[in-house]
Short mmCIF file of all heavy atoms in Angstrom, two decimals:
data_model
loop_
_atom_site.label_atom_id
_atom_site.label_comp_id
_atom_site.label_asym_id
_atom_site.label_seq_id
_atom_site.Cartn_x
_atom_site.Cartn_y
_atom_site.Cartn_z
N LEU J 1 68.88 -27.87 116.30
CA LEU J 1 69.71 -28.41 115.24
C LEU J 1 68.76 -29.15 114.21
O LEU J 1 67.77 -29.88 114.67
CB LEU J 1 70.73 -29.40 115.74
CG LEU J 1 71.59 -30.15 114.82
CD1 LEU J 1 72.97 -30.44 115.34
CD2 LEU J 1 71.04 -31.49 114.25
N VAL J 2 69.01 -28.92 112.98
CA VAL J 2 68.13 -29.54 111.95
C VAL J 2 69.25 -30.22 110.94
O VAL J 2 70.27 -29.53 110.62
CB VAL J 2 67.23 -28.51 111.22
CG1 VAL J 2 68.04 -27.40 110.56
CG2 VAL J 2 66.35 -29.39 110.15
N PHE J 3 68.83 -31.31 110.46
CA PHE J 3 69.82 -32.04 109.44
C PHE J 3 69.05 -32.62 108.42
O PHE J 3 67.83 -33.03 108.49
CB PHE J 3 70.70 -33.00 110.27
CG PHE J 3 70.00 -34.36 110.51
CD1 PHE J 3 69.91 -35.44 109.63
CD2 PHE J 3 69.38 -34.51 111.84
CE1 PHE J 3 69.23 -36.58 110.00
CE2 PHE J 3 68.73 -35.67 112.12
CZ PHE J 3 68.66 -36.73 111.25
N ALA J 4 69.60 -33.05 107.33
CA ALA J 4 69.16 -33.78 106.19
C ALA J 4 70.21 -34.50 105.54
O ALA J 4 71.32 -34.01 105.41
CB ALA J 4 68.31 -32.83 105.13
N ARG J 5 69.85 -35.82 105.08
CA ARG J 5 70.88 -36.60 104.44
C ARG J 5 70.30 -37.45 103.49
O ARG J 5 69.22 -37.83 103.55
CB ARG J 5 71.89 -37.24 105.47
CG ARG J 5 71.09 -38.30 106.33
CD ARG J 5 72.13 -39.14 107.16
NE ARG J 5 71.54 -40.22 107.93
CZ ARG J 5 71.09 -41.30 107.63
NH1 ARG J 5 71.17 -41.73 106.40
NH2 ARG J 5 70.67 -42.25 108.48
N THR J 6 71.21 -38.06 102.61
CA THR J 6 70.93 -39.09 101.76
C THR J 6 71.10 -40.52 102.46
O THR J 6 71.71 -40.59 103.52
CB THR J 6 71.76 -39.08 100.53
OG1 THR J 6 73.21 -39.03 100.89
CG2 THR J 6 71.49 -37.78 99.70
N SER J 7 70.74 -41.49 101.83
CA SER J 7 70.94 -42.85 102.21
C SER J 7 72.42 -43.21 102.06
O SER J 7 72.92 -43.15 100.92
CB SER J 7 69.99 -43.90 101.63
OG SER J 7 70.39 -45.27 101.94
N PRO J 8 73.14 -43.83 103.04
CA PRO J 8 74.49 -44.25 102.93
C PRO J 8 74.46 -45.51 102.04
O PRO J 8 75.69 -45.85 101.62
CB PRO J 8 74.89 -44.55 104.34
CG PRO J 8 73.70 -44.80 105.11
CD PRO J 8 72.64 -44.06 104.51
N PHE J 9 73.39 -46.19 101.79
CA PHE J 9 73.39 -47.38 101.03
C PHE J 9 73.02 -47.21 99.57
O PHE J 9 73.16 -48.16 98.79
CB PHE J 9 72.39 -48.47 101.70
CG PHE J 9 72.68 -48.63 103.18
CD1 PHE J 9 71.88 -48.18 104.18
CD2 PHE J 9 73.82 -49.34 103.66
CE1 PHE J 9 72.03 -48.19 105.48
CE2 PHE J 9 74.13 -49.47 105.02
CZ PHE J 9 73.21 -48.79 105.96
N ARG J 10 72.24 -46.20 99.17
CA ARG J 10 71.88 -46.01 97.82
C ARG J 10 73.03 -45.42 96.94
O ARG J 10 73.63 -44.44 97.40
CB ARG J 10 70.65 -45.05 97.90
CG ARG J 10 69.97 -44.88 96.50
CD ARG J 10 68.81 -43.82 96.62
NE ARG J 10 67.85 -44.39 97.56
CZ ARG J 10 66.76 -45.07 97.16
NH1 ARG J 10 66.59 -45.56 95.85
NH2 ARG J 10 65.81 -45.53 98.06
N PRO J 11 73.24 -45.78 95.79
CA PRO J 11 74.18 -45.22 94.95
C PRO J 11 73.88 -43.83 94.51
O PRO J 11 72.69 -43.51 94.55
CB PRO J 11 74.19 -46.24 93.76
CG PRO J 11 72.89 -46.99 93.74
CD PRO J 11 72.58 -47.02 95.19
N GLY J 12 74.89 -43.06 94.06
CA GLY J 12 74.61 -41.72 93.72
C GLY J 12 75.22 -40.74 94.65
O GLY J 12 76.07 -41.13 95.40
N THR J 13 74.91 -39.45 94.44
CA THR J 13 75.53 -38.36 95.22
C THR J 13 75.19 -38.48 96.72
O THR J 13 74.11 -38.73 97.12
CB THR J 13 75.01 -37.02 94.78
OG1 THR J 13 75.22 -36.79 93.28
CG2 THR J 13 75.71 -35.88 95.40
N LYS J 14 76.26 -38.38 97.52
CA LYS J 14 76.03 -38.42 99.01
C LYS J 14 76.02 -37.07 99.60
O LYS J 14 76.67 -36.14 99.07
CB LYS J 14 77.19 -39.10 99.63
CG LYS J 14 77.48 -40.57 99.09
CD LYS J 14 76.29 -41.47 99.40
CE LYS J 14 76.51 -42.84 98.89
NZ LYS J 14 75.28 -43.68 99.02
N PHE J 15 75.01 -36.84 100.55
CA PHE J 15 74.90 -35.50 101.11
C PHE J 15 74.49 -35.77 102.60
O PHE J 15 73.60 -36.51 102.84
CB PHE J 15 73.76 -34.83 100.38
CG PHE J 15 73.51 -33.37 100.98
CD1 PHE J 15 74.15 -32.28 100.48
CD2 PHE J 15 72.50 -33.21 101.99
CE1 PHE J 15 73.89 -30.94 100.96
CE2 PHE J 15 72.25 -31.96 102.45
CZ PHE J 15 72.98 -30.84 102.03
N ALA J 16 75.09 -35.03 103.46
CA ALA J 16 74.84 -34.99 104.92
C ALA J 16 75.27 -33.69 105.42
O ALA J 16 76.45 -33.33 105.48
CB ALA J 16 75.47 -36.14 105.63
N LYS J 17 74.19 -32.90 105.82
CA LYS J 17 74.49 -31.59 106.38
C LYS J 17 73.57 -31.25 107.55
O LYS J 17 72.39 -31.51 107.48
CB LYS J 17 74.39 -30.49 105.24
CG LYS J 17 75.17 -29.28 105.70
CD LYS J 17 75.38 -28.41 104.44
CE LYS J 17 76.17 -27.15 104.68
NZ LYS J 17 76.37 -26.14 103.59
N SER J 18 74.07 -30.48 108.48
CA SER J 18 73.30 -29.96 109.55
C SER J 18 73.63 -28.51 109.95
O SER J 18 74.74 -28.15 109.46
CB SER J 18 73.33 -30.89 110.78
OG SER J 18 74.72 -30.78 111.34
N THR J 19 72.79 -27.98 110.64
CA THR J 19 73.05 -26.54 111.08
C THR J 19 72.41 -26.33 112.45
O THR J 19 71.27 -26.88 112.68
CB THR J 19 72.51 -25.50 110.16
OG1 THR J 19 73.02 -24.18 110.55
CG2 THR J 19 71.07 -25.47 109.99
N VAL J 20 73.00 -25.52 113.24
CA VAL J 20 72.41 -25.22 114.63
C VAL J 20 71.87 -23.84 114.45
O VAL J 20 72.53 -22.86 114.17
CB VAL J 20 73.42 -25.28 115.69
CG1 VAL J 20 72.82 -24.81 116.99
CG2 VAL J 20 73.92 -26.73 115.81
N VAL J 21 70.57 -23.63 114.98
CA VAL J 21 69.90 -22.30 114.94
C VAL J 21 69.71 -21.86 116.31
O VAL J 21 69.00 -22.47 117.07
CB VAL J 21 68.52 -22.50 114.07
CG1 VAL J 21 67.82 -21.07 114.06
CG2 VAL J 21 68.63 -23.10 112.81
N PRO J 22 70.47 -20.74 116.71
CA PRO J 22 70.27 -20.19 117.98
C PRO J 22 68.85 -19.55 118.10
O PRO J 22 68.35 -18.90 117.15
CB PRO J 22 71.39 -19.23 118.17
CG PRO J 22 72.31 -19.50 116.99
CD PRO J 22 71.48 -20.08 115.96
N LEU J 23 68.18 -19.78 119.25
CA LEU J 23 66.86 -19.06 119.50
C LEU J 23 67.06 -17.84 120.29
O LEU J 23 67.92 -17.73 121.20
CB LEU J 23 65.92 -20.05 120.24
CG LEU J 23 65.77 -21.38 119.53
CD1 LEU J 23 64.92 -22.34 120.41
CD2 LEU J 23 64.94 -21.23 118.26
N ARG J 24 66.28 -16.83 119.91
CA ARG J 24 66.52 -15.55 120.53
C ARG J 24 66.29 -15.61 122.04
O ARG J 24 66.96 -14.98 122.84
CB ARG J 24 65.36 -14.57 120.08
CG ARG J 24 65.54 -13.15 120.63
CD ARG J 24 64.40 -12.28 120.14
NE ARG J 24 64.23 -11.28 121.13
CZ ARG J 24 63.35 -10.31 121.16
NH1 ARG J 24 62.43 -10.32 120.16
NH2 ARG J 24 63.18 -9.38 122.04
N ARG J 25 65.28 -16.37 122.48
CA ARG J 25 65.02 -16.64 123.89
C ARG J 25 64.61 -18.10 124.01
O ARG J 25 64.04 -18.77 123.18
CB ARG J 25 64.00 -15.84 124.53
CG ARG J 25 62.68 -15.97 123.91
CD ARG J 25 61.56 -15.36 124.71
NE ARG J 25 61.64 -13.90 124.65
CZ ARG J 25 60.94 -13.19 123.68
NH1 ARG J 25 60.15 -13.80 122.89
NH2 ARG J 25 61.02 -11.89 123.74
N PRO J 26 64.99 -18.81 125.21
CA PRO J 26 64.66 -20.20 125.29
C PRO J 26 63.06 -20.32 125.21
O PRO J 26 62.30 -19.52 125.71
CB PRO J 26 65.08 -20.64 126.70
CG PRO J 26 66.20 -19.60 126.97
CD PRO J 26 65.92 -18.35 126.25
N THR J 27 62.58 -21.39 124.49
CA THR J 27 61.19 -21.44 124.19
C THR J 27 60.75 -22.97 124.13
O THR J 27 61.56 -23.82 123.81
CB THR J 27 60.79 -20.66 122.92
OG1 THR J 27 59.37 -20.67 122.80
CG2 THR J 27 61.51 -21.33 121.78
N ALA J 28 59.37 -23.20 124.32
CA ALA J 28 58.77 -24.41 124.08
C ALA J 28 57.59 -24.24 123.06
O ALA J 28 56.87 -25.18 122.90
CB ALA J 28 58.28 -25.13 125.24
N ASP J 29 57.65 -23.08 122.45
CA ASP J 29 56.42 -22.68 121.61
C ASP J 29 56.66 -23.45 120.21
O ASP J 29 57.70 -23.23 119.53
CB ASP J 29 56.52 -21.25 121.30
CG ASP J 29 55.18 -20.69 120.56
OD1 ASP J 29 54.96 -21.30 119.56
OD2 ASP J 29 54.54 -19.74 121.01
N SER J 30 55.64 -24.26 119.75
CA SER J 30 55.84 -25.00 118.59
C SER J 30 55.99 -24.09 117.35
O SER J 30 56.85 -24.41 116.48
CB SER J 30 54.53 -25.85 118.28
OG SER J 30 54.42 -26.94 119.27
N ALA J 31 55.34 -22.97 117.23
CA ALA J 31 55.48 -22.02 116.19
C ALA J 31 56.89 -21.53 116.09
O ALA J 31 57.46 -21.42 114.96
CB ALA J 31 54.42 -20.94 116.27
N MET J 32 57.46 -21.22 117.21
CA MET J 32 58.83 -20.64 117.17
C MET J 32 59.85 -21.68 116.74
O MET J 32 60.78 -21.40 115.93
CB MET J 32 59.25 -20.09 118.53
CG MET J 32 58.32 -18.96 119.01
SD MET J 32 58.46 -17.50 117.95
CE MET J 32 57.26 -16.43 118.87
N LEU J 33 59.68 -23.00 117.21
CA LEU J 33 60.62 -24.02 116.97
C LEU J 33 60.41 -24.40 115.48
O LEU J 33 61.46 -24.74 114.81
CB LEU J 33 60.46 -25.14 117.93
CG LEU J 33 60.73 -24.82 119.45
CD1 LEU J 33 60.21 -25.95 120.32
CD2 LEU J 33 62.25 -24.64 119.57
N VAL J 34 59.25 -24.49 115.06
CA VAL J 34 59.00 -24.84 113.56
C VAL J 34 59.57 -23.79 112.64
O VAL J 34 60.28 -24.11 111.65
CB VAL J 34 57.59 -25.01 113.33
CG1 VAL J 34 57.23 -25.02 111.75
CG2 VAL J 34 57.03 -26.13 113.98
N LYS J 35 59.46 -22.46 112.91
CA LYS J 35 59.98 -21.38 112.27
C LYS J 35 61.60 -21.57 112.22
O LYS J 35 62.14 -21.40 111.12
CB LYS J 35 59.65 -20.02 112.91
CG LYS J 35 60.17 -18.80 112.06
CD LYS J 35 59.67 -17.56 112.77
CE LYS J 35 60.17 -16.32 111.97
NZ LYS J 35 59.74 -15.11 112.61
N ALA J 36 62.16 -21.81 113.33
CA ALA J 36 63.68 -21.95 113.37
C ALA J 36 64.06 -23.16 112.50
O ALA J 36 65.09 -23.18 111.89
CB ALA J 36 64.10 -22.15 114.75
N ALA J 37 63.35 -24.31 112.68
CA ALA J 37 63.70 -25.53 111.91
C ALA J 37 63.57 -25.32 110.33
O ALA J 37 64.49 -25.69 109.71
CB ALA J 37 62.90 -26.60 112.37
N VAL J 38 62.59 -24.61 109.98
CA VAL J 38 62.46 -24.31 108.52
C VAL J 38 63.48 -23.50 108.02
O VAL J 38 64.00 -23.72 106.92
CB VAL J 38 61.11 -23.83 108.31
CG1 VAL J 38 60.86 -23.35 106.82
CG2 VAL J 38 59.94 -24.88 108.56
N ALA J 39 63.79 -22.42 108.83
CA ALA J 39 64.97 -21.61 108.46
C ALA J 39 66.25 -22.20 108.31
O ALA J 39 67.02 -22.06 107.34
CB ALA J 39 65.05 -20.38 109.38
N GLY J 40 66.45 -23.14 109.32
CA GLY J 40 67.75 -23.89 109.17
C GLY J 40 67.81 -24.89 108.01
O GLY J 40 68.77 -25.02 107.40
N LEU J 41 66.70 -25.46 107.69
CA LEU J 41 66.52 -26.44 106.62
C LEU J 41 66.75 -25.70 105.24
O LEU J 41 67.55 -26.21 104.46
CB LEU J 41 65.18 -27.05 106.59
CG LEU J 41 65.01 -27.96 105.33
CD1 LEU J 41 65.73 -29.20 105.40
CD2 LEU J 41 63.45 -28.32 105.14
N ARG J 42 66.23 -24.53 105.10
CA ARG J 42 66.40 -23.76 103.88
C ARG J 42 67.90 -23.39 103.68
O ARG J 42 68.36 -23.33 102.47
CB ARG J 42 65.47 -22.51 103.85
CG ARG J 42 64.00 -22.72 103.87
CD ARG J 42 63.20 -21.52 103.75
NE ARG J 42 61.83 -21.67 103.88
CZ ARG J 42 61.01 -22.16 103.10
NH1 ARG J 42 61.37 -22.59 101.88
NH2 ARG J 42 59.63 -22.44 103.29
N SER J 43 68.48 -23.16 104.74
CA SER J 43 69.92 -22.85 104.62
C SER J 43 70.80 -23.93 104.31
O SER J 43 71.96 -23.72 103.66
CB SER J 43 70.54 -22.13 105.99
OG SER J 43 70.59 -23.20 106.98
N ILE J 44 70.47 -25.24 104.46
CA ILE J 44 71.40 -26.37 104.12
C ILE J 44 70.78 -27.06 102.90
O ILE J 44 71.58 -27.92 102.37
CB ILE J 44 71.43 -27.25 105.28
CG1 ILE J 44 70.16 -27.93 105.61
CG2 ILE J 44 72.08 -26.62 106.47
CD1 ILE J 44 70.22 -29.01 106.68
N PHE J 45 69.62 -26.69 102.48
CA PHE J 45 69.00 -27.48 101.41
C PHE J 45 69.83 -27.30 100.02
O PHE J 45 70.31 -26.25 99.73
CB PHE J 45 67.61 -27.08 101.08
CG PHE J 45 66.95 -27.71 99.92
CD1 PHE J 45 66.44 -28.95 100.01
CD2 PHE J 45 66.89 -27.06 98.65
CE1 PHE J 45 65.81 -29.53 98.94
CE2 PHE J 45 66.29 -27.57 97.57
CZ PHE J 45 65.79 -28.90 97.70
N LYS J 46 69.92 -28.42 99.31
CA LYS J 46 70.67 -28.42 98.09
C LYS J 46 69.82 -29.19 97.02
O LYS J 46 69.40 -30.34 97.29
CB LYS J 46 72.07 -29.13 98.26
CG LYS J 46 72.83 -29.07 96.90
CD LYS J 46 74.20 -29.79 97.13
CE LYS J 46 75.09 -29.77 95.93
NZ LYS J 46 76.39 -30.45 96.16
#
């Protein structure tokens, strides 16, 4: 799961979104997990 959000205390536009990225196979490989996290972030970025 990857998420990004704005500050709840700062004035202006509020944003809070997350997404769950299923992995093809269970892994502990940093490269695989980073790739999934970046892909998830790009999908929710505004």
Side-chain angles (χ1 to χ4, degrees):
L1 179 146
V2 60
F3 76 87
R5 67 169 175 80
T6 56
S7 170
F9 310 106
R10 187 182 297 272
T13 304
K14 303 299 181 186
F15 179 92
K17 198 168 183 179
S18 65
T19 186
V20 174
V21 182
L23 302 170
R24 181 185 156 187
R25 65 168 71 94
T27 184
D29 190 310
S30 292
M32 301 296 179
L33 294 170
V34 168
K35 183 179 179 181
V38 171
L41 175 69
R42 295 188 190 280
S43 72
I44 64 173
F45 178 79
K46 184 178 180 181

